Structure formats: structure tokens, C-alpha cells
Amino acid sequence: MGPSGTPATRPAQPPGGCSIPKAPAPSPAPLCLGSPHQGSSAPCTGTNFAPCFRCQLLVAQGQRAGCKVRGGCPGFALPLIGGSWNHCWQPSASRAMAPYRIRQYRDQDYDTVRSLFARGIIEHGPAVYRHALRSARMQLALLTLFTVVRAAAGCWLLALGAAALALAAAWPLLRSFSTSYVHQALHTDLLDIRATYMRAPDSCFWVAEAGGAVVGMVAVAPPQDPSQRGVALELKRMSVSKDYRGRGISKALCGEVLRFAQARGYGAVVLYTSVVQVVAQRLYEGQGFRKVGTSSPSLLASLLCFQIFHYRCDLPGRPLSPAPPR
């Protein structure tokens, strides 16, 4: 270890950070066993659909008119590349049989990984809301509101209505934790993925592919915490599609990051995840990560006991074995 805290020696690595091997031919898309339209036996056309960024209704790629929000939806549809989400029904049993592989990011994955990341974060909105409702401070605030309105108006129904209105108003506020985080990521590192992760030193980006579609993603880069730079790398942007969870894809993606960091002589990998992402916490702890700290992203989050957990995995001194073939 040098005086500046950086490892004294590291194995040689290709210039530009993440090496780009010759990409193998993509796997053929799975056969659609369903019908794309009710009462129709026509073959699946693979029409792209995507969730609206704000209201989460399915709208055709590039359209806004499909959002059924009074006054028009202020959000936008996150586009998907062809074949990544077919507008047809595929039985879950057939999906479970499809193999997957881990490969490095390609430029044609751009729209898919951005949409996959956005859906993976926004789906935690209800969990954030439930977590806030279980907070003692939130319950005390609702009880205080109910008591004050009941004493001032002398009406139980009015007091209950005020509490219900407060709960309804809290939903978009709490959901903004997820949407603002997604918005920030899409306009920073995920705006130019190749420049951020594929060309920068000690950085890389992988995707999991199944049936010709990208179903998972993860990235690694030098940590934002200055005290960790030179001694650790940060695991970032982990996300796996709902239909492909529970098949070991997250563990495989995590393993790629650990091998990447150890092969470059780093002694640890760090990451950050929220208090409501319980499944992710179990995954990381199962891979050798341990919780080393907590923080709150804002004053409101602190008041509602919404925390960000800091995890760290110390790596052994020798390179990890190559990933097993799949």
C-alpha cells in the first residue's frame, strides 16, 4: 500500500478501463406462445410498450396520449429497444427455462438498461410509503392532526377526513424519493453509459441477457466518497427484471463486480442501498458484504426514518476464479 492509500502494484489493464471483447451473436428471441390481441390468433408483432415515468401506465413507445391523467401526464414514456418487451402473453414457465448469460454493455442496450433501472427503482415507491406509515413520527403527526381537527371542529368525520387527506398528500411526496433519484441517474452517469463506465478507468458495465433480451444490469466505478478512492470500487445500478428474479442473476452480476475489482488490485467493494430494499440487503450480505454505516438523503427522509445503508465487502488478496460457464 503506497503512502497515498492506493495499492502499490496492480495487474496491467487495457487502456480506457473496461476492455471490450468481441461480442458473441445474441441468442434467438423466445417463441411467443400467446396471442397479442384478445380474440386474435395473429402472430406476435413484438410491439414495444413502456411505463410512463410519472403515472406508470403502459403507453406505446414515444407516445404521451395513453396516460389517463387529468390535464395530461407531465411525464414521459421510457422507450425500449425492439424485442425487449413484447405486447403479448408468455407463460412464466417458459421464461423460467430460458438460460441467461452475462456480457458487457453494448450501445444497442442503451434504452433498455435505462428503462430497466427506472422500473427497478420506482417499484419501491409503495414500500417507501409503507415504511413511512410505520414510522413513529408519521403516526404521531397523524394523531396530532386528528386530535386538533376533532377539537376545533367537534366532528369525528371531519377529523378522519383530514387524516385521510394527509395520507393522500403524502403519497406523491414520498414517491418523489424514487422518481427524483431516477431522474438524477438518467441525467448523470446513465446519460452517457459508454463514456462513464466503458471508457473511464477502473469502471465497467455488464448486462444479463436471456432470450435475446436484456433482463439485468450492474456497473462498477470508483466511489464518490473521497476516503474510499484508491482502495475500493463501488457497485452501482444493480437491477434485474421482475420476471427473471430468483434465478441467480443478481449473484452472477455481483460476482462480476467482485472479480473485476480484485483483478485490478482493489481491497474492497462498497455499495449503497435503501432501508426498504430488504431483498437486495439479503443478497449483498450473502455475497460477503457487511453494513458499515447509514445516512439520510434529505431532512424529510431523516424525519421519516428513511435511511441509506452503506455496505462493504473486503476482498481476499488473490484474484477470484473466473466465472463458471453458463
Side-chain angles (χ1 to χ4, degrees):
M1 191 72 68
S4 62
T6 58
T9 59
R10 292 181 187 158
Q13 57 179 303
C18 190
S19 59
I20 312 294
K22 183 177 180 181
S27 304
L31 177 65
C32 173
L33 302 178
S35 177
H37 307 289
Q38 294 183 355
S40 170
S41 60
C44 175
T45 58
T47 304
N48 273 334
F49 280 73
C52 172
F53 181 74
R54 292 289 181 87
C55 68
Q56 292 298 284
L57 296 176
L58 295 183
V59 295
Q61 177 176 341
Q63 292 184 357
R64 300 188 186 203
C67 300
K68 306 302 182 182
V69 178
R70 180 178 298 180
C73 176
F76 56 91
L78 297 173
L80 304 178
I81 62 173
S84 59
W85 187 350
N86 290 335
H87 183 46
C88 58
W89 179 257
Q90 296 184 14
S92 57
S94 65
R95 289 188 177 186
M97 297 299 293
Y100 70 88
R101 64 185 180 121
I102 308 298
R103 61 168 175 81
Q104 291 183 7
Y105 168 84
R106 303 172 190 160
D107 289 339
Q108 57 265 38
D109 303 327
Y110 180 79
D111 290 329
T112 308
V113 299
R114 283 164 57 89
S115 180
L116 178 63
F117 171 77
R119 292 198 305 270
I121 296 298
I122 292 176
E123 73 179 21
H124 294 294
V128 174
Y129 187 70
R130 290 192 298 269
H131 176 78
L133 292 183
R134 290 192 295 266
S135 168
R137 292 175 179 174
M138 172 68 85
Q139 295 175 2
L140 179 60
L142 290 173
L143 179 60
T144 301
L145 176 63
F146 176 87
T147 304
V148 170
V149 175
R150 171 69 176 86
C155 178
W156 288 93
L157 290 178
L158 189 59
L160 288 173
L165 185 61
L167 288 173
W171 165 243
L173 181 64
L174 294 171
R175 190 171 179 270
S176 68
F177 287 172
S178 300
T179 56
S180 61
Y181 180 72
V182 168
H183 186 270
Q184 179 188 28
L186 294 181
H187 289 80
T188 52
D189 60 298
L190 294 182
L191 183 62
D192 191 343
I193 299 174
R194 178 162 293 279
T196 304
Y197 294 109
M198 307 305 289
R199 295 174 182 165
D202 293 335
S203 303
C204 200
F205 198 106
W206 296 270
V207 299
E209 186 179 60
V214 171
V215 299
M217 56 183 280
V218 73
V220 65
Q224 295 183 350
D225 184 357
S227 66
Q228 297 291 335
R229 292 200 172 187
V231 297
L233 290 179
E234 181 179 343
L235 183 153
K236 306 178 68 174
R237 308 314 183 204
M238 170 77 81
S239 185
V240 175
S241 176
K242 271 188 175 182
D243 294 331
Y244 291 87
R245 293 173 188 170
R247 297 173 50 189
I249 295 178
S250 297
K251 292 181 180 179
L253 291 168
C254 187
E256 292 291 341
V257 173
L258 297 178
R259 280 184 287 273
F260 181 90
Q262 195 170 12
R264 280 156 174 75
Y266 284 92
V269 172
V270 297
L271 63 86
Y272 304 90
T273 189
S274 72
V275 64
V276 301
Q277 294 174 273
V278 179
V279 175
Q281 295 167 30
R282 293 173 181 167
L283 164 70
Y284 298 136
E285 290 168 1
Q287 296 299 299
F289 285 85
R290 56 188 176 87
K291 187 164 62 175
V292 296
T294 60
S295 62
S296 293
S298 65
L299 177 60
L300 175 61
S302 178
L303 292 175
L304 297 175
C305 300
F306 181 83
Q307 296 176 317
I308 300 298
F309 291 163
H310 305 187
Y311 277 88
R312 179 185 178 94
C313 178
D314 293 311
L315 302 174
R318 57 182 178 82
L320 295 171
S321 59
R326 280 179 289 272

